[in-house]
Amino acid sequence: MSAIVSPLDAAALPPAETPWQRFRREFFASRLAVAGLVLMALVVGAALLAPWIAPQNPYDIGSLDIFDAKLPPGSHNADGTMTYWLGTDGQSRDLLSAMLYGLRISLLVGVVSVAAALAIGSAVGLAAAYFGGRIDALLMRIVDIQLSFPAILLALILLATLGKGVDKVIIALIAVQWAYFARAARGAALVERGKEYIEAAQCMALGSPRILLRHMLPNCLPPLIVIATIDLAHAIALEATLSFLGVGVPVTQPSLGMLIANGFEFMLSGHYWISFFPGIALALSIVALNLVGDHLRDVLNPHNER
């Protein structure tokens, strides 16, 4: 026989845990995830506050002194009014300031490209799963063709055609990444398509756009959010690779990859700091995003035991 719960016992029970409370509890249970989140917050905060906390504006050519080029960390400028805590690069820029501004460009390229790729890929994947048939076959064959090319090769081909520039890099990264989201969105949408609430919405003669955007998309978002977090780290690393190869952002708008490339030729001459410190900043940013993304995958996985 099942136990009968009296009103007094029911009132004594703790309130049910909301999905947000459960997510917060499980996410902050991992020290690595919390460390990654704190590190990611520091990186984003440093990038957003760069114009106010950077000792120098690296884009202001008038403030640069050619005699301050390639100074080691802790050096002072000629008149002793400024300390280059991380040294200077070959263009006489304060490396700390250049890194802070470079973070802005790297994060801008990564966030915009991932957000656009998420929107495009989700739309393609949801449409393929919902309509099925020839539409599904056509869209997924396009996705398969795109995924058959290595990401770096496709990005190099596009940038060789479009030229350098932040906007060109964003376009190339969108073209590289959207297919991953399309494949993931289709897989999640196929699971949701057979559920009762979709059948109920169709029986109510709701339009396809409303069913896709207001009913199916919210239930497909958790895996897409995880992929977006991890893919953000991949986008930042890919942008750094393209800039290092000389086909990414221009020298006048240095990202972390461009700063590493600028100092690569001086590595053997003892000027290690020009590439070393931007490389450390890039590695910390990628590690922080991966730590958060990996734990998000575990927390949002519906197959895990609660």
Side-chain angles (χ1 to χ4, degrees):
M1 296 178 61
S2 59
I4 299 176
V5 180
S6 65
L8 293 178
D9 293 335
L13 293 175
E17 193 176 34
T18 64
W20 168 248
Q21 290 174 335
R22 182 178 60 195
F23 168 80
R24 185 174 58 183
R25 174 177 56 80
E26 293 183 356
F27 182 86
F28 285 97
S30 172
R31 295 182 178 179
L32 282 178
V34 173
L37 185 63
V38 172
L39 183 57
M40 187 171 66
L42 291 176
V43 169
V44 174
L48 294 177
L49 299 176
W52 295 275
I53 63 177
Q56 179 191 77
N57 184 358
Y59 300 148
D60 185 8
I61 301 179
S63 64
L64 305 181
D65 189 345
I66 191 173
F67 295 104
D68 290 341
K70 294 180 288 185
L71 293 179
S75 301
H76 301 276
N77 60 354
D79 54 7
T81 58
M82 182 176 177
T83 302
Y84 301 119
W85 297 107
L86 299 183
T88 60
D89 61 5
Q91 286 76 38
S92 305
R93 294 177 297 204
D94 174 50
L95 198 56
L96 176 60
S97 303
M99 286 170 53
L100 293 174
Y101 277 83
L103 272 174
R104 291 168 64 89
I105 295 179
S106 295
L107 290 177
L108 172 67
V109 170
V111 170
V112 173
S113 63
V114 169
L118 173 62
I120 297 172
S122 299
V124 172
L126 290 175
Y130 182 77
F131 295 106
R134 295 182 178 179
I135 295 179
D136 183 20
L138 175 62
L139 293 177
M140 287 302 102
R141 295 299 76 76
I142 295 174
V143 170
D144 291 338
I145 292 173
Q146 199 276 328
L147 291 176
S148 65
F149 291 94
I152 184 66
L153 177 61
L154 182 59
L156 285 172
I157 294 174
L158 289 174
L159 288 176
T161 305
L162 299 174
K164 290 185 178 182
V166 174
D167 54 340
K168 310 297 191 307
V169 175
I170 292 175
I171 294 174
L173 292 182
I174 293 172
V176 166
Q177 298 174 109
W178 72 270
Y180 299 105
F181 294 102
R183 178 66 71 183
R186 177 181 179 271
L190 285 175
V191 176
E192 299 297 325
R193 183 187 177 189
K195 294 185 177 180
E196 291 79 4
Y197 74 93
I198 296 296
E199 296 179 0
Q202 292 173 339
C203 292
M204 295 174 62
L206 299 181
S208 297
R210 183 176 179 180
I211 295 176
L212 288 172
L213 297 178
R214 297 190 60 181
H215 298 279
M216 187 177 289
L217 178 60
N219 292 287
C220 297
L221 276 181
L224 296 177
I225 293 174
V226 174
I227 295 175
T229 305
I230 298 176
D231 209 46
L232 178 57
H234 178 255
I236 293 175
L238 185 56
E239 181 278 324
T241 303
L242 295 171
S243 298
F244 183 83
L245 295 176
V247 295
V249 299
V251 181
T252 55
Q253 294 178 304
S255 65
L256 292 178
M258 180 59 69
L259 292 176
I260 297 173
N262 289 340
F264 184 73
E265 59 181 312
F266 304 117
M267 289 288 289
L268 297 180
S269 60
H271 302 92
Y272 67 92
W273 59 87
I274 304 178
S275 290
F276 178 75
F277 291 118
I280 292 296
L282 178 63
L284 290 177
S285 303
I286 294 174
V287 167
L289 289 169
N290 281 327
L291 287 176
V292 174
D294 286 343
H295 195 59
L296 276 178
R297 179 183 56 196
D298 297 335
V299 172
L300 297 178
N301 187 355
H303 299 291
N304 287 343
E305 294 184 1
R306 299 299 182 185

